[in-house]
Amino acid sequence: MTTASERNPIVIVGSGLAGYSLVRELRKHDADAPILLVTADDGTSYSKPMLSNGFGKGKDANGLAQATQYSMAEQFDLHLMPHTWVTALNPQAHQVLLGDHWQSYSKLVLAWGAEVVPLHLAGSGSGSVYSINDLNDYRAFRAALTGAECVAIMGAGLIGCEFANDLLLGGYQVEVIAPSATVMPTLMPEQAARALQNELEALGVTFHLNTQVDRIEQVPAGADGGVTLALTNGRHLQADVVISAVGLRPRTELAQQAGLAVNRGIVVNRALETSAPDVYALGDCAEVDGQLLLYVMPLMASARALAKTLSGERSEVLYPAMPVMIKTPCCPAAVNPPPVGAEGHWQVEQDGNHVKALFNNPEGKLLGFALTGRFTMEKQALSRQLPALHNAAS
Amino acid sequence: MKKWQCVVCGLIYDEAEGWPEDGIEPGTAWNDVPEDWLCPDCGVGKEDFEMIEID
C-alpha cells in the first residue's frame, strides 16, 4: 500500500556540493523518485574547492560554473526551486515552510552548508569586508578586485593561505592578519607551518601574526579609495579589498528551532539521520557521529551512503583517514591532523621547507601527519597507516 | 586510452599522460591507478571520477 507521504517528494535543501552530489548519487540507484531541490541561490552547479584557486586555474566566477540550474534539473529530473528560502521545519507533519507554502516531504535532507563566522569590527569600513563561501560571493569579490592592488586577508587558516597564494598568482599584493603565532595552527605543527609561511613570504605575502584587526576605516572620499586597517598591535595597513577567512560554522538555527538535536553541527548518526524521523543532514551543516569535517572527501562519502539509504538500503558512512590537501602551489602541503586531545608527540624530519611531521602516540602508532614540499607525495602511503576516523573515537 | 574527469572540480585524468607527480606513469589505465589516489586539485577519491569522451 502506498501512503500519501510516500508519494511526496524527497526534499533536498541546498544546491551546493552536498545537495548536487546527493542528487547525482541518488539517481544512480533510483531513476524515478520525485526530488524537489530548494535553494536560496540560483542553483548553478560549481566547483566549491576551486573558489580559492581561481587565478591559479585561470578561471573567473563564470569559469567555475559547471552547469546551470536548468541543465541540472533536466539531467537529473529534478523539480528545482531557485531563490527560495526554507523558513521553518515541521518534522511531525513532514513539512517544510517555503515562503507561505507548507511543502510536504517523504524524506527531507538538510544540505544548506555552513556560514562564515561573523566578525564584529568597529569602523566605517567594517561593512565592506568580503567573505567567500559560494559562487555569488566569489563573483562579487572578483568584481571588487577590478582596479585593486592590495588585498588584506583576515585569517591564516587553510582558506586564508590558499587565497593568499592565489591572489599573488593574480598579481595582487597580499597582507595576512591572524591572531595565531603560526599559519594553520589547528592543522599543522610549527615546523610545517613555518615552511609554508616561508614559501608564501618568498612569493611576496606579508604576514601579521599574533595580532588582529581592531578597526577598519574607509579612506576619506577624494583619496584613492580603499580602507585602513588598524591592528591591535598598533600597526596600520592600507588595502583596497579585505577578505574575512576566519572560519565557518554550520547553519543550525532552523534545525534547532524545529527541535532537532544540534551540537556544533546538526547531529546525525552514521546513517546521516537526525533526531527526527525521515530528516537527514549532509555536508558542512552535519556533525556525523561526532565528526565535524568541512571538507570535500567526507562530504562525498556521506552523499554516497545517504543515496543508498534514501533508495531503500539503509547505509552507514564510515570515515576512513582522510588527508586534506592544501592548494598552495608555492608549497604543496597535505595534512591529517591527529584527533583533538590525542596523546602523543610530533616527530619532524626537515630539509629546508620540505617537512615531514608525524604524530605518534606513546605506543608508536601513527595518528596524524603534516607534509610540505616533496614529502607531500607520501600522503597516501601514510594515510594507509592511520586509524579510521570513526573508529579512532571508539 | 581514455580520460576520466573529477565530478567535483573537473580535473581530467588522461590515461595517455598518467600523473607523473604522483608516480603514475604515462599510459597507466584507470583500473591500474592506485585505489587510494586522490584528485590532485580537490582531494576526492577515484570513485568520484567519471569516464568522459573528449575529442
Side-chain angles (χ1 to χ4, degrees):
Chain A
M1 196 182 90
T2 306
T3 65
S5 70
E6 283 167 359
R7 287 196 299 273
N8 287 322
I10 295 170
V11 173
I12 300 172
V13 185
S15 62
L17 188 58
Y20 276 147
S21 296
L22 176 64
V23 163
R24 187 178 281 114
E25 291 296 321
L26 193 50
R27 282 298 182 230
K28 292 179 186 172
H29 301 285
D30 188 337
D32 302 322
I35 300 175
L36 169 62
L37 193 145
V38 181
T39 177
D41 67 24
D42 68 5
T44 300
S45 170
Y46 65 97
S47 176
K48 177 73 174 273
M50 304 307 243
L51 292 184
S52 51
N53 63 345
F55 284 106
K57 296 290 169 189
K59 294 190 173 189
D60 61 8
N62 289 336
L64 295 178
Q66 293 169 323
T68 64
Q69 50 146 310
Y70 308 105
S71 58
M72 292 304 284
E74 188 184 337
Q75 184 182 356
F76 296 108
D77 192 18
L78 309 173
H79 180 198
L80 202 151
M81 294 176 69
H83 308 297
T84 303
W85 290 82
V86 173
T87 48
L89 316 177
N90 185 339
Q92 289 73 32
H94 279 59
Q95 289 181 327
V96 290
L97 186 57
L98 310 176
D100 56 4
H101 163 64
W102 281 101
Q103 167 69 46
S104 295
Y105 59 80
S106 58
K107 313 274 185 188
L108 174 65
V109 180
L110 309 176
W112 55 40
E115 62 197 2
V116 176
V117 173
L119 290 172
H120 302 286
L121 296 169
S124 61
S126 60
S128 57
V129 175
Y130 289 82
S131 53
I132 302 149
N133 191 33
D134 62 33
L135 189 61
N136 284 335
D137 293 342
Y138 191 67
R139 195 181 306 279
F141 168 62
R142 288 292 293 258
L145 286 178
T146 307
E149 289 174 6
C150 178
V151 181
I153 301 173
M154 293 185 279
L158 184 149
I159 295 295
C161 288
E162 289 187 349
F163 268 112
N165 198 152
D166 200 49
L167 288 163
L168 282 173
L169 294 176
Y172 298 91
Q173 186 191 331
V174 179
E175 311 263 356
V176 176
I177 306 106
S180 54
T182 58
V183 302
M184 288 190 241
T186 61
L187 294 177
M188 287 185 168
E190 185 179 347
Q191 294 92 330
R194 293 279 176 222
L196 181 59
Q197 184 183 341
N198 289 344
E199 292 289 354
L200 285 168
E201 284 174 343
L203 210 60
V205 179
T206 306
F207 282 93
H208 307 269
L209 300 177
N210 295 307
T211 188
Q212 297 185 60
V213 175
D214 183 35
R215 305 174 66 83
I216 303 180
E217 301 289 352
Q218 211 84 48
V219 172
D224 56 354
V227 293
T228 300
L229 292 83
L231 310 188
T232 52
N233 67 3
R235 292 201 55 181
H236 289 77
L237 307 175
Q238 305 290 321
D240 299 307
V241 175
V242 183
I243 301 178
S244 169
V246 297
L248 296 172
R249 67 177 184 204
R251 294 190 177 105
T252 57
E253 194 181 339
L254 284 183
Q256 191 158 24
Q257 286 167 5
L260 304 191
V262 163
N263 186 29
R264 291 176 298 159
I266 300 169
V267 171
V268 297
N269 58 20
R270 293 182 190 183
L272 291 313
E273 296 160 335
T274 68
S275 58
D278 298 320
V279 182
Y280 305 81
L282 175 70
D284 286 357
C285 66
E287 182 177 327
V288 183
D289 190 21
Q291 299 282 347
L292 187 67
L293 297 169
L294 281 60
Y295 303 112
V296 174
M297 246 178 125
L299 182 156
M300 299 301 280
S302 297
R304 277 190 290 277
L306 182 54
K308 279 190 192 164
T309 297
L310 295 179
S311 47
E313 183 193 341
R314 187 179 181 278
S315 300
E316 298 195 340
V317 69
L318 181 73
Y319 285 170
M322 289 180 282
V324 176
M325 279 183 278
I326 296 148
K327 296 188 291 292
T328 43
C330 73
C331 181
V335 297
N336 200 321
V340 174
E343 200 185 332
H345 67 280
W346 288 99
Q347 193 174 25
V348 179
E349 180 184 339
Q350 186 160 11
D351 171 15
N353 290 329
H354 305 275
V355 175
K356 176 180 179 178
L358 305 179
F359 187 91
N360 294 300
N361 72 7
E363 288 78 48
K365 168 86 184 144
L366 184 70
L367 294 184
F369 61 76
L371 309 170
T372 67
R374 67 166 188 271
F375 289 115
T376 305
M377 278 185 75
E378 297 182 29
K379 61 184 182 289
Q380 271 112 325
L382 289 167
S383 292
R384 277 174 226 140
Q385 300 174 33
L386 291 171
L389 274 178
H390 271 143
N391 286 342
S394 60
Chain B
M1 295 276 102
K2 298 189 179 81
K3 294 181 184 182
W4 296 75
Q5 184 168 33
C6 173
V7 299
V8 175
C9 73
L11 178 124
I12 290 166
Y13 174 83
D14 182 341
E15 293 182 342
E17 294 180 13
W19 205 272
E21 295 91 328
D22 285 336
I24 300 169
E25 299 294 323
T28 303
W30 183 244
N31 275 338
D32 297 326
V33 172
E35 285 308 307
D36 55 2
W37 184 70
L38 303 175
C39 173
D41 271 356
C42 73
V44 300
K46 272 182 81 178
E47 62 272 38
D48 294 312
F49 279 71
E50 290 178 350
M51 197 178 77
I52 49 163
E53 301 295 333
I54 303 176
D55 294 325

